[in-house]
Amino acid sequence: MSKVTVLKFGGTSVGTIEKIKEISLYLKSRTQSDEKLIVVVSAMGKTTDSLLGQAAEITSNPDVRELDTLLAVGEQNTISLMAINLNHIGVAARSLTGMQAGIKTFGKHTKSKIADINSDFLLEQLDEFDVLVIAGFQGFNENQEITTLGRGGSDTSAVALASAIGAPCEIYTDVTGVFGTDPRLYPDAKQLRQVSYEEMLELSALGAGVLETRCVEIAKNYHVPIYIAKTLSETKGTWIMENTDLLEKKVVTGVALDKNILHVTLTCEDCSSNFVEELFNQLDEEGVNIDMISQVVFDRMINISFTCKKTDEHFLNTVINNLSNGFPTIKKHIRDNCSKVSIVGSGMRDVSGVAARAFRLLCKHNITFYQVTTSEISISYAIDEDLSEEAVRLLCSEFNI
């Protein structure tokens, strides 16, 4: 078979019919070089927000199964239009929903995860068609119900499809690549030509909005090289690859900011250790992803702090209310005006003093942090939201990001 590549185009890239036509011409030029393409697309522009708005006009708490069925409409609209145009300009193309493409999922509605992909079917389709246009962000579960993958789901779909058929993955968006931090916060931020899977994984998990964490995890686990670039631009993008393949390693690669967090502190007096076990079991059952975990135990008082996404607040409150029944002394303190600022770099393994420089810098500028956690290649601070952007700029300047 010809070379196969997976390409993904985000919502702004396919936001109008004219943009879909321009991308179609680009895809045609790729197929003329004896290349087969799997093209994963998002919903056009603000379609998903519009669909959510329609549901909100009915209820603030829609049934999640029906919400998945509604949200899947956006990507199906895009795949149909693009396949229609590709065939119109002479490219043999077929559109496929997540279910038609054999993307099997598991887990909760609106935040499902990919379990398996029918790669044999896709390869058979590529024998007949030059381009398969597949709806990102969606799949189907064991009950044959439409499911969606949550934030960044189309990126996850693309990388999972690439891993299933052993192909590279190109992700096209409205930015030229991965920067050391958001240029809107720090205009002097430099674009990275290469970044390791683990660095990108940390940056994504810690708030950088370029790629969703699950997408990078799949790429790392299955050695899928990812290229991120601006749609239909000649500007070179960023390669995400194995750490051993990097030509240059920086001590600090990037600074991430996540304003979409809650800082949660739970205190339970006269509690046994099964309080912590029960807490994490229920958080897992509700699908609440938590980060920056720290725990202090004094006699029979347990104090545990962590962060989670603001979008999980409803699920978090469900857990806390449930726990209150079995642990009546539990007290909660939730900061919703808090942000997480993180510095990331694989070079931190081999260079000492990075943490000391960061602590001195924040203290010098009177930026208080409520919690600090570290990994082998990152340091994260929970700080007041109104000081977070200043912290990003200071850290970027300090580490030449």
Side-chain angles (χ1 to χ4, degrees):
M1 180 185 285
S2 308
K3 176 187 175 184
V4 180
T5 307
V6 176
L7 294 81
K8 182 262 178 177
F9 293 93
T12 55
S13 298
V14 295
T16 65
I17 297 297
E18 190 57 40
K19 288 182 178 181
I20 289 175
K21 288 181 177 180
E22 291 174 357
I23 291 171
S24 297
L25 289 173
Y26 170 71
L27 298 176
K28 181 176 182 177
S29 70
R30 296 276 294 254
T31 62
Q32 289 172 337
S33 300
D34 196 31
E35 189 175 8
K36 299 277 189 174
L37 305 174
I38 290 180
V39 180
V40 178
V41 293
S42 300
M44 296 173 67
K46 300 293 185 180
T47 301
T48 300
D49 290 340
S50 175
L51 293 169
L52 285 169
Q54 291 175 24
E57 290 182 24
I58 299 171
T59 173
S60 61
N61 188 29
D63 180 88
V64 289
R65 179 192 181 278
E66 303 308 330
L67 194 60
D68 269 356
T69 304
L70 174 66
L71 295 181
V73 171
E75 281 70 22
Q76 291 171 204
N77 177 41
T78 313
I79 62 172
S80 302
L81 292 171
M82 184 168 285
I84 287 169
N85 192 66
L86 283 166
N87 283 297
H88 174 67
I89 62 174
V91 179
R94 168 162 286 182
S95 67
L96 297 170
T97 66
M99 180 177 286
Q100 289 170 330
I103 301 175
K104 300 175 184 177
T105 67
F106 67 98
K108 287 181 172 291
H109 280 285
T110 74
K111 51 173 68 178
S112 293
K113 297 181 180 180
I114 296 175
D116 189 33
I117 293 176
N118 188 345
S119 57
D120 290 339
F121 169 75
L122 295 174
L123 293 173
E124 289 171 4
Q125 290 292 295
L126 286 172
D127 284 335
E128 184 177 352
F129 299 93
D130 292 326
V131 179
L132 299 180
V133 189
I134 297 180
F137 179 65
Q138 62 179 250
F140 70 103
N141 62 19
E142 70 277 8
N143 298 320
Q144 305 299 305
E145 298 170 323
I146 295 173
T147 58
T148 63
L149 307 179
R151 178 180 175 271
S154 292
D155 291 339
T156 303
S157 300
V159 175
L161 285 161
S163 69
I165 63 172
C169 183
E170 301 173 9
I171 294 179
Y172 292 99
T173 181
D174 55 355
V175 296
T176 57
V178 180
F179 285 77
T181 196
D182 188 336
R184 292 171 296 183
L185 301 178
Y186 187 65
D188 293 331
K190 301 172 182 66
Q191 182 176 325
L192 305 170
R193 295 302 174 195
Q194 298 174 329
V195 61
S196 69
Y197 290 129
E198 57 184 351
E199 287 173 322
M200 194 69 239
L201 192 58
E202 289 277 357
L203 286 168
S204 297
L206 297 171
V210 182
L211 287 178
E212 206 274 333
T213 308
R214 288 177 299 164
C215 158
V216 186
E217 285 178 340
I218 295 169
K220 181 178 184 292
N221 291 339
Y222 295 94
H223 312 288
V224 178
I226 303 176
Y227 180 68
I228 301 178
K230 188 172 184 178
T231 304
L232 303 179
S233 171
E234 297 296 325
T235 303
K236 289 185 178 179
T238 301
W239 279 101
I240 302 172
M241 58 181 64
E242 300 281 359
N243 190 46
T244 53
D245 295 333
L246 295 181
L247 298 176
E248 180 182 349
K249 297 179 184 178
K250 298 178 65 177
V251 176
V252 176
T253 300
V255 178
L257 171 63
D258 189 355
K259 291 185 176 182
N260 180 37
I261 70 163
L262 300 172
H263 184 254
V264 184
T265 300
L266 300 178
T267 303
C268 189
E269 297 181 6
D270 197 31
C271 284
S272 60
S273 59
N274 69 337
F275 164 72
V276 177
E277 179 183 2
E278 188 63 27
L279 168 65
F280 285 104
N281 282 342
Q282 291 199 31
L283 288 169
D284 181 50
E285 288 174 6
E286 291 294 332
V288 179
N289 292 319
I290 62 173
D291 190 21
M292 295 191 72
I293 309 166
S294 62
Q295 176 184 312
V296 176
V297 179
F298 183 75
D299 289 337
R300 288 180 61 82
M301 185 182 78
I302 297 174
N303 182 294
I304 187 164
S305 295
F306 57 87
T307 59
C308 69
K309 296 293 186 183
K310 286 182 180 178
T311 50
D312 283 336
E313 185 171 11
H314 169 74
F315 302 104
L316 172 69
N317 286 328
T318 298
V319 170
I320 295 174
N321 290 337
N322 289 341
L323 284 172
S324 298
N325 295 327
F327 302 93
T329 62
I330 188 174
K331 296 178 181 178
K332 70 176 180 179
H333 183 263
I334 299 177
R335 287 189 178 91
D336 58 6
N337 59 341
C338 198
S339 293
K340 179 171 59 181
V341 176
S342 310
I343 58 176
V344 177
S346 58
M348 291 166 61
R349 287 193 183 99
D350 308 312
V351 178
S352 61
V354 175
R357 287 171 65 185
F359 275 96
R360 281 197 301 267
L361 182 71
L362 296 178
C363 291
K364 178 182 176 181
H365 290 84
N366 298 315
I367 296 177
T368 302
F369 35 90
Y370 300 107
Q371 189 175 358
V372 181
T373 58
T374 63
S375 76
E376 194 176 22
I377 65 168
S378 70
I379 306 170
S380 296
Y381 302 87
I383 65 177
D384 288 324
E385 186 174 324
D386 58 357
L387 297 174
S388 60
E389 293 187 8
E390 180 188 0
V392 169
R393 290 189 287 269
L394 289 168
L395 290 165
C396 286
S397 178
E398 175 73 16
F399 294 104
N400 191 30
I401 298 303

